[in-house]
Amino acid sequence: MGYKMDYETFRQEMKKLVEEGLQEKGDYSCSWQPVHKNNVTKTALRIMEKGSRVSIMAYLDLPYQDYLKGQPLSAISREIIRLNTEKEFPDISTKQFSDYGEMKGKLRLRLVGREHNEAYLEEGPYRVHPMGAEILYAELEKTGEGRMGFHVTHEHLADWGIPEQEAFDTALENSQREEPIWFQSLAGRIASTLLWEDPGEGPVSKNEMYVLSNQSKDHGAAVLLYPAVPEELHRKMQGDYYILPSSVHEVIILSKETDFTPAALRDMVVEINQEVVSLEDRLGNDVYEFQGRTGTLQKCKIPEKERTR
């Protein structure tokens, strides 16, 4: 195996190649931009066409892995340029960004982690939730390739001239309308993934695990922020239940009549987070419970002596 650049050298070389390639596409600029996300801060290559309001953030961690596997730098830079110049972006002007009337219908709620997330949360308004933090997100466009939008910051609210309460109320209303809940047994979820068939919700069993998300399965843990959902789940599960934070995209629901202990469930969550879920998608390591008698969602108390992780 020949010499391989370290990541920092790769980043600088890739920026130079992308800048050179973009000269043939139009008037573009490239710069490094720190981007705060759930649990992580990444440095992205910011690609922006002159006169455009929309900038593209190209993350180079995965392209670097392609490079380490032998893909030529020239091929990687061409692909980055292709992805970020041929993609169609929503036609949103500077005026629209600063006009709350234009942006109001795009507001959504997201549920993210709170621990080790100070920089991300400081950017914009948030509300503390037992499982993390409730934040505001503006969804500009949703396609089969993903979503385009941005974390709503304090600066955005100041530009729009609206109070936080109004923004959160609007985001909740939009989210409930545009992203209704999706609830299915874990076995059914696996079957639908393998067979490309949705078996439907089916009767609820207290011995099964269930997946809770939204219809798009994108940041679906936010459905727990819908006021009626915890009680609705209590009716479906016919009693109190545990909530396992599988990721920011979905959570696992399990009857409290299960044979699993909270400590065992927490071990399960920690193991899955460490081995399967990316840091950016993690919601947390703790297990939660909903008690119908009090109508409260809270973290399960696990004695320290029972913790193995």
Side-chain angles (χ1 to χ4, degrees):
M1 180 181 292
Y3 165 78
K4 292 293 184 180
M5 302 176 189
D6 59 31
Y7 181 61
E8 182 58 31
T9 305
F10 170 83
R11 284 200 320 134
Q12 300 305 327
E13 185 66 21
M14 194 53 53
K15 180 175 182 289
K16 183 176 71 173
L17 290 173
V18 169
E19 285 175 329
E20 292 173 355
L22 284 172
Q23 291 178 4
E24 303 174 1
K25 300 289 184 178
D27 192 355
Y28 287 86
S29 63
C30 292
S31 60
W32 296 116
Q33 176 75 40
V35 180
H36 299 304
K37 291 178 172 288
N38 179 50
N39 297 324
V40 299
T41 297
K42 293 186 174 182
T43 299
L45 182 61
R46 185 173 185 251
I47 301 173
M48 195 165 189
E49 185 175 13
K50 185 176 180 179
S52 174
R53 175 70 180 184
V54 179
S55 61
I56 305 305
M57 300 299 177
Y59 299 98
L60 301 183
D61 46 345
L62 293 181
Y64 181 61
Q65 296 303 314
D66 292 335
Y67 161 72
L68 292 178
K69 294 174 184 177
Q71 190 167 352
L73 292 175
S74 57
I76 295 173
S77 65
R78 284 197 300 268
E79 182 64 7
I80 291 174
I81 292 169
R82 185 191 70 79
L83 289 173
N84 293 289
T85 58
E86 297 181 5
K87 187 181 296 182
E88 292 187 5
F89 301 107
D91 183 17
I92 297 178
S93 67
T94 301
K95 181 180 178 182
Q96 285 176 300
F97 267 105
S98 59
D99 184 350
Y100 180 60
E102 295 282 350
M103 302 304 295
K104 180 178 179 179
K106 305 180 187 299
L107 294 182
R108 303 287 187 272
L109 291 181
R110 284 189 172 180
L111 180 61
V112 299
R114 193 166 78 250
E115 189 176 6
H116 312 305
N117 228 0
E118 293 84 358
Y120 186 47
L121 297 178
E122 285 176 0
E123 286 186 336
Y126 70 92
R127 293 175 171 177
V128 173
H129 183 272
M131 294 182 65
E134 174 182 355
I135 67 167
L136 296 168
Y137 184 82
E139 184 174 284
L140 301 181
E141 188 173 78
K142 178 171 62 177
T143 68
E145 296 180 353
R147 300 187 179 208
M148 182 179 297
F150 57 87
H151 177 204
V152 175
T153 66
H154 297 295
E155 184 179 353
H156 291 124
L157 292 191
D159 287 344
W160 297 337
I162 61 166
E164 290 184 13
Q165 182 67 48
E166 180 179 342
F168 275 103
D169 289 346
T170 300
L172 173 60
E173 181 181 341
N174 293 343
S175 296
Q176 290 182 117
R177 181 183 64 252
E178 300 295 334
E179 291 285 9
I181 71 168
W182 180 89
F183 182 79
Q184 189 179 63
S185 70
L186 182 58
R189 171 68 182 276
I190 295 172
S192 63
T193 301
L194 296 176
L195 303 176
W196 294 89
E197 294 181 2
D198 189 345
E201 186 172 312
V204 171
S205 167
K206 295 188 177 183
N207 296 317
E208 284 198 66
M209 290 185 175
Y210 291 84
V211 183
L212 175 70
S213 185
N214 55 25
Q215 293 291 334
S216 68
K217 318 300 186 300
D218 189 308
H219 284 84
V223 300
L224 288 169
L225 305 174
Y226 303 174
V229 166
E231 290 286 356
E232 182 179 340
L233 289 175
H234 192 263
R235 290 192 293 273
K236 285 180 180 291
M237 300 302 296
Q238 302 173 41
D240 296 350
Y241 54 88
Y242 293 120
I243 305 172
L244 283 60
S246 179
S247 73
V248 295
H249 302 297
E250 62 185 30
V251 297
I252 302 296
I253 305 298
L254 179 64
S255 171
K256 287 192 68 175
E257 295 183 26
T258 178
D259 292 333
F260 288 103
T261 65
L265 292 173
R266 185 182 186 279
D267 287 347
M268 187 186 305
V269 172
V270 171
E271 182 176 358
I272 291 174
N273 275 339
Q274 291 176 343
E275 298 182 3
V276 179
V277 184
S278 68
L279 186 59
E280 189 175 328
D281 287 338
R282 292 178 195 172
L283 187 53
N285 286 325
D286 291 300
V287 175
Y288 300 82
E289 61 183 348
F290 181 81
Q291 297 180 349
R293 179 177 56 83
T294 59
T296 58
L297 189 160
Q298 61 190 27
K299 183 167 68 174
C300 291
K301 296 179 180 179
I302 302 175
E304 197 63 37
K305 64 182 179 180
E306 295 183 24
R307 294 173 179 261
T308 62
R309 296 174 182 268

